[in-house]
Amino acid sequence: QVQLVQSGSELKKPGASVKVSCKASGYTFTSYALNWVRQAPGQGLEWMGWINTNTGNPRYAQGFTGRLVFSLDTSVSTAYLQISSLKPEDTAVYYCARETAGGTRDFDYWGQGTLVTVSS
Amino acid sequence: QSVLTQPPSVSAAPGQKVTISCSGSSSNIGNNYVSWYQQLPGTAPKLLIYDNNKRPSGIPERFSGSKSGTSATLGITGLQTGDEADYYCGTWDSRLSAGVFGGGTKLTVL
């Protein structure tokens, strides 16, 4: 069965960086794009961008001003999200989500989420 | 401020029907497919509807989706207490070149 398993919660200080992993199983990793979505406490969903798991080409949502890096290690079917220069407002649950084969930005499988807390 | 507009909350009695609206514009809903997600408390979102009106395997027929112009609607019939959750619409915005979501609607089954 398809699974996306993310790394555990993180507590970081403002200005630090964090790297979240998303390990896929149960399907061919390079056949489906992966998206990243975050949810601040008590708030809605915010799309952060996506990565083509076949080419490794990332696309980032505006508003993150170069602080995001999406990467892959296809040998272990794992995607990574790195955020630098963390701010308190980056406190959120971060999800990886597999895009359906149709490429219409529907997300059929989600990781369990990784809570990143940014606090001094 | 979300690009897509949803009512903050809806409620209905068990067994009844409820609809949740999602309003956008020509750059998003008007020219792209809409999906709907259910988020139970403390869990990740779950895909309910994709490509406006298709249900993934395992999603009951009680859940339906439709789209007209720049608006979309999620319908849920035969409401159950287990349907209490937050519901989000989502789509692509061609002008922003970004995925966009509604602000979410909290469903209460009275």
Side-chain angles (χ1 to χ4, degrees), chain A residues 1 3-4 6-7 11-12 19 25 30 36 42 44 59 63-64 66 76 88 91-92 96 103-104 110 116 119:
Chain A
Q1 72 283 19
Q3 278 192 304
L4 298 174
Q6 299 183 222
S7 48
L11 174 60
K12 296 291 182 181
K19 192 170 186 177
S25 62
T30 52
W36 290 94
R59 286 289 185 269
F64 289 96
V76 290
T91 294
C96 58
T104 52
W110 295 64
V116 175
S119 174

Side-chain angles (χ1 to χ4, degrees), chain A residues 38-44 88-94 115-118, chain B residues 88:
Chain A
R38 75 177 181 180
Q39 186 171 35
Q43 302 300 309
E89 51 265 41
D90 291 320
T91 294
V93 176
Y94 289 79
L115 173 62
V116 175
T117 304
V118 184
Chain B
Y88 293 90

Side-chain angles (χ1 to χ4, degrees), chain A residues 35-53:
Chain A
N35 288 247
W36 290 94
V37 176
R38 75 177 181 180
Q39 186 171 35
Q43 302 300 309
L45 303 173
E46 180 183 16
W47 182 80
M48 301 176 69
W50 68 284
I51 185 164
N52 184 319
T53 53

